[in-house]
Amino acid sequence: MEYLGQYKAVYKAKSGCEDILAKAQDGGIVTSMFAYALETGIIDGAIVAGPGSEPYKPEPMIATTVEELFAARGTKYSVSPNLALIKEATRSYGLDKIGIVGTPCQIQAVRKAQLYPIGMRDVPDKIALALGIFCMENFPYQGLFQMVEDHCATKIDNVTKMDIGKGKFSVYTERGVNSQIPLKVTHKYEQPGCHVCLDYVANMADISTGSVGTPDGWSTVFVRSAAGEAAFNKAVEAGWIIAESMDGVKPGLELVEKLATEKITKNQKYLEHRLHKEHPALKPLRNPYI
Amino acid sequence: MADKITVGHVHMSGCTGCLVSLADNYEGLLTILDKYADLVYCLTLADVRHIPKMDVALVEGSVCINDECSMEEILETRENAAIVVALGGCACYGNTTRFCRGGQQNQPQHEGFLPIGDLIKVDVYIPGCAPTPQQIRNVCLMAFLLLKGNDEQKALATAYLTPLMSLAAAGTEACGCDLMTEVINQGLCCGCGSCAAACPVRAVTIQYGKPQVERDLCIKCGACYAQCPRSFFSFEVCGQYEAITNLIGEVMKP
Ligand SMILES: Cc1cc2nc3c(=O)[nH]c(=O)nc-3n(C[C@H](O)[C@H](O)[C@H](O)COP(=O)(O)OP(=O)(O)OC[C@H]3O[C@@H](n4cnc5c(N)ncnc54)[C@H](O)[C@@H]3O)c2cc1C
Ligand code: SF4
Ligand code: SF4
Ligand code: SF4
Ligand code: SF4
């Protein structure tokens, strides 16, 4: 299963804490793992996508309390440059054990920062827990705004949740699902950089999680590294996370792998196309992967 | 250990900040000198006056072309070192010395400073101002594995060093503008924020998910672009982050 990366175990899981679940995106895995890690000293702070100055415009934030983690619950379908704070976390905040959540590209950036710390003095050995969230695409804020306000005819200030799943972008307000549009409408608003992205399930994270594969309210969780395994098992033992086998779960890993394969092969084709071999008169565009 | 590599620090027109960064590995530096590398040349720390033969030359600073001695020494460095590493923004890209207009004491006539790659062939770049202790350590360890390791270690070192060799091959100009011209303009930016964290002078902020560079602040050190996961990204190396991190931890044990 090369498209899903290497992992030690995969689970259907959700938070053991009702308060977290109340406003989490899916199974509340990210918030629960960080809250547990914070309480037990595995991390002394976490970089998360906090609420920004405008609704659903995330602002990276260093959470050092469970309350701050709670404020960051839920998916914002717009770019949150979480790595921007990674050096700051070791400096102004003086953190020695940093947690960070990020999309697959951001987790790639974390690993690059650790192995090639070109401008990342003292960062490499301070990453204690990197949680990856599955990601098919992301949107610049102006794009998201247009999707919500124009296509979904909903004031973004009134939105209580957004979700992508089953081929649709859904916008919820206090009254429930307010509007749904097919993803073929949202494609054109995607961030261009997402079209060269070769990772769907954050293959380089310590633990990666997303909604795809498991029933509503649950999350699919890949436990990948030794650090991830240790933290996850302890969180389960302590009751912060409820983890069950993926065996027989529908739609299960099959769907995760299908989506990962589709995303990566499509984007590999696009990278190939960018070389413009079919048009000798066009110069190639840059390929970042070596 | 007999089988160490030989390393020199060649001081051109630099502020010694790069050398301080190497030293900021603290006990790690002692481990490196103990087990992996002999420091055969370093005007600040070793009493050797002429550039000797060595495996790896870490060159700090740009070259003042108005100074004959500097011109001779950079040539000598190339001739005597198997691997020439441009250590830090000045050696790679000119960095702050790009802004020199002469007039400084005690050599007011010195105004022409070139990154070393404009004068000699350079093998590996370590951008940044100052380059980080951990990046310098990694390059030293990988150079050791490349020259003294078994086949597997040589392969790892080659994979690791390849992107830094590609940077050296790519040219001698860097600027925060590279984020625009080489990443955003090329449709590659994913909005991760690494560039903003990497910038030593806080010239980069992220606005609406994309870097915004305060161009007057930029000192042209090259860190932002080199740190960007969309400047270069090696699945082969980064995919092994756990094994490589463990390896570095293991070999750095005193
Ligand atoms: C742009 C985007 C696309 C996604 N696409 C998919 C997909 O295709 N399939 C799938 O299964 N899952 C996808 N997800 C993941 C999913 O929406 C949930 O974020 C994930 O399941 C975690 O839910 P949770 O209940 O465990 O987290 P919670 O406990 O609710 O916490 C969510 C955490 O994610 C962080 N976060 C929120 N928005 C962002 C952001 N924009 N960038 C970085 N961090 C953020 C928050 O800081 C918070 O810590 C996507 C997420 C994003 C941000
Ligand atoms: S699709 Fe890829 S590049 Fe785009 S936000 Fe998700 S992980 Fe990053
Ligand atoms: S790169 Fe920075 S630290 Fe190194 S010599 Fe130049 S100015 Fe000094
Ligand atoms: S923007 Fe900052 S990191 Fe980038 S080259 Fe300029 S000074 Fe260096
Ligand atoms: S590091 Fe690269 S990909 Fe990340 S925000 Fe900066 S320019 Fe974009």
Side-chain angles (χ1 to χ4, degrees), chain A residues 103-105 135-138 191 193-194 197 263, chain B residues 190 230:
Chain A
T103 49
C105 60
C135 179
M136 192 57 88
E137 75 280 281
N138 204 349
Q191 170 177 247
C194 296
C197 176
K263 170 179 175 175
Chain B
C190 66
R230 296 285 167 89

Side-chain angles (χ1 to χ4, degrees), chain A residues 270-287:
Chain A
Y270 177 61
L271 275 163
E272 182 65 25
H273 166 72
R274 284 169 55 97
L275 300 177
H276 292 313
K277 285 191 187 136
E278 70 275 32
H279 302 296
L282 270 182
K283 293 184 177 175
L285 292 168
R286 213 168 60 71
N287 182 340

Side-chain angles (χ1 to χ4, degrees), chain A residues 112 115-117 122 193 226 286, chain B residues 132 134 160 186 228 230 242:
Chain A
K112 180 170 175 179
L115 293 177
Y116 294 98
D122 297 344
R286 213 168 60 71
Chain B
T132 66
Q134 295 82 16
Y160 181 87
Q186 287 272 337
C228 169
R230 296 285 167 89
E242 209 180 357

Side-chain angles (χ1 to χ4, degrees), chain A residues 6-274:
Chain A
Q6 292 188 343
Y7 55 91
K8 296 184 194 293
V10 58
Y11 299 101
K12 167 191 167 198
K14 68 174 177 182
S15 175
C17 168
E18 288 301 325
D19 286 349
I20 289 178
L21 285 170
K23 277 204 159 177
Q25 185 71 17
D26 298 309
I29 300 299
V30 176
T31 305
S32 302
M33 277 310 304
F34 280 155
Y36 171 75
L38 203 54
E39 301 260 285
T40 53
I42 294 171
I43 58 172
D44 40 32
I47 305 174
V48 293
S53 52
E54 293 162 67
Y56 287 87
K57 183 168 180 281
E59 190 68 47
M61 155 176 119
I62 296 171
T64 52
T65 63
V66 173
E67 291 73 54
E68 283 166 330
L69 287 174
F70 271 48
R73 281 171 301 173
T75 299
K76 294 86 175 170
Y77 287 99
S78 188
V79 179
S80 178
N82 287 358
L83 269 287
L85 288 180
I86 202 163
K87 198 158 74 181
E88 199 62 14
T90 71
R91 305 259 168 127
S92 314
Y93 289 75
L95 305 189
D96 287 325
K97 294 172 278 180
I98 302 170
I100 182 166
V101 55
T103 49
C105 60
Q106 298 183 324
I107 301 299
Q108 289 178 350
V110 169
R111 298 316 179 193
K112 180 170 175 179
Q114 288 183 277
L115 293 177
Y116 294 98
I118 292 163
M120 298 282 189
R121 185 178 167 125
D122 297 344
V123 167
D125 61 346
K126 299 205 163 61
I127 307 297
L129 194 59
L131 302 183
I133 46 184
F134 302 177
C135 179
M136 192 57 88
E137 75 280 281
N138 204 349
F139 304 93
Y141 187 70
Q142 298 90 332
L144 181 72
F145 189 83
Q146 206 146 322
M147 281 154 53
V148 173
E149 298 244 334
D150 288 3
H151 292 277
C152 292
T154 308
K155 265 212 96 42
I156 202 163
D157 312 68
N158 297 339
V159 174
T160 53
K161 183 172 182 172
M162 296 180 198
D163 193 21
I164 293 179
K166 305 183 183 83
K168 293 194 185 72
F169 173 68
S170 310
V171 168
Y172 301 73
T173 63
E174 271 176 10
R175 284 169 293 161
V177 183
N178 198 52
S179 186
Q180 287 188 315
I181 51 173
L183 292 185
K184 77 173 184 297
V185 176
T186 65
H187 284 324
K188 75 167 180 183
Y189 296 109
E190 290 163 6
Q191 170 177 247
C194 296
H195 299 147
V196 301
C197 176
L198 302 181
D199 189 349
Y200 178 53
V201 289
N203 294 355
M204 296 180 196
D206 291 311
I207 297 170
S208 19
T209 185
S211 60
V212 163
T214 35
D216 286 352
W218 291 81
S219 294
T220 303
V221 178
F222 293 98
V223 175
R224 301 185 181 280
S225 69
E229 185 179 42
F232 188 79
N233 290 351
K234 280 190 228 155
V236 171
E237 226 168 87
W240 282 80
I241 303 255
I242 299 162
E244 296 178 7
S245 162
M246 274 298 272
D247 293 345
V249 173
K250 293 282 163 210
L253 272 192
E254 219 171 289
L255 180 61
V256 187
E257 191 173 22
K258 175 171 170 277
L259 292 175
T261 310
E262 275 172 18
K263 170 179 175 175
I264 293 165
T265 43
K266 181 172 109 249
N267 290 350
Q268 270 165 339
K269 267 197 203 122
Y270 177 61
L271 275 163
E272 182 65 25
H273 166 72
R274 284 169 55 97

Side-chain angles (χ1 to χ4, degrees), chain B residues 239-252:
Chain B
Q240 298 183 61
Y241 74 92
E242 209 180 357
I244 297 175
T245 304
N246 291 344
L247 174 77
I248 293 172
E250 201 51 45
V251 300
M252 290 305 291

